[in-house]
Amino acid sequence: VQLQASGGGLVQTGESLRLSCAASGTIFSINSWAWYRQVPGKEREWVARIVNSFDDSYSDSVKGRFTISRDNARTAVILQMNSLQPADTAIYYCNVQGYQEAIYRRPFDSWGQGTLVTVSS
C-alpha cells in the first residue's frame, strides 16, 4: 500500500493549512490513519489518529486546533490545521494500518513520503 501526501506549504502564524494523504494499492480494510511530524534532528512526534471513522485523538500540542478526518470515497485522510504556530513547523507524515485481504488478512502498515509545513512568525 502506497501513500501520497500533499498540502504542505509556507504560511504565517494564525493561518490554516489542509493536508491530505491518499492510499493506493490492494486494501480490504483500514483500521486507523495517523499523522506524525518531525523536525530535523528531533524524534518523530505523534500528532493525531483516527480509528474507524469517528474515534479521533490528538496530542496535547495540537488539540483544539487540528482536526483529522477520513475521506472514505478517496481512501484518504485529511488533517485540517488551524491557528498554526511556528512550533508546528515540521515535516508531516501520514500513516495507515489495515488489512489487504479478507481471509488471510495480510496486515499492512504504510508511511507517506512527508510534506513540509513551515509557519513563519
Side-chain angles (χ1 to χ4, degrees):
V1 175
Q2 297 78 43
L3 298 181
Q4 181 66 47
S6 61
L10 172 64
V11 297
Q12 294 186 338
T13 297
E15 293 185 341
S16 299
L17 272 178
R18 181 182 171 95
L19 304 184
S20 177
C21 179
S24 62
T26 302
I27 299 172
F28 169 71
S29 65
I30 291 177
N31 295 338
S32 67
W33 290 93
W35 286 95
Y36 291 75
R37 64 188 182 186
Q38 187 171 23
V39 175
K42 295 188 176 181
E43 291 189 358
R44 191 167 294 188
E45 172 193 21
W46 170 71
V47 174
R49 175 179 290 108
I50 185 165
V51 179
N52 300 318
S53 292
F54 305 105
D55 186 7
D56 55 348
S57 55
Y58 303 90
S59 67
D60 288 342
S61 61
V62 307
K63 193 176 297 182
R65 300 187 298 121
F66 291 11
T67 302
I68 187 172
S69 60
R70 291 179 63 160
D71 182 349
N72 291 326
R74 293 176 52 238
T75 314
V77 67
I78 305 296
L79 185 67
Q80 178 66 43
M81 305 186 295
N82 299 329
S83 302
L84 283 163
Q85 304 295 319
D88 296 315
T89 296
I91 299 172
Y92 284 71
Y93 297 89
C94 54
N95 171 263
V96 65
Q97 298 179 0
Y99 296 98
Q100 290 190 287
E101 295 180 359
I103 296 177
Y104 297 106
R105 306 298 265 179
R106 285 211 296 159
F108 63 86
D109 183 347
S110 299
W111 290 86
Q113 83 284 5
T115 184
L116 177 63
V117 172
T118 304
V119 185
S120 64
S121 57

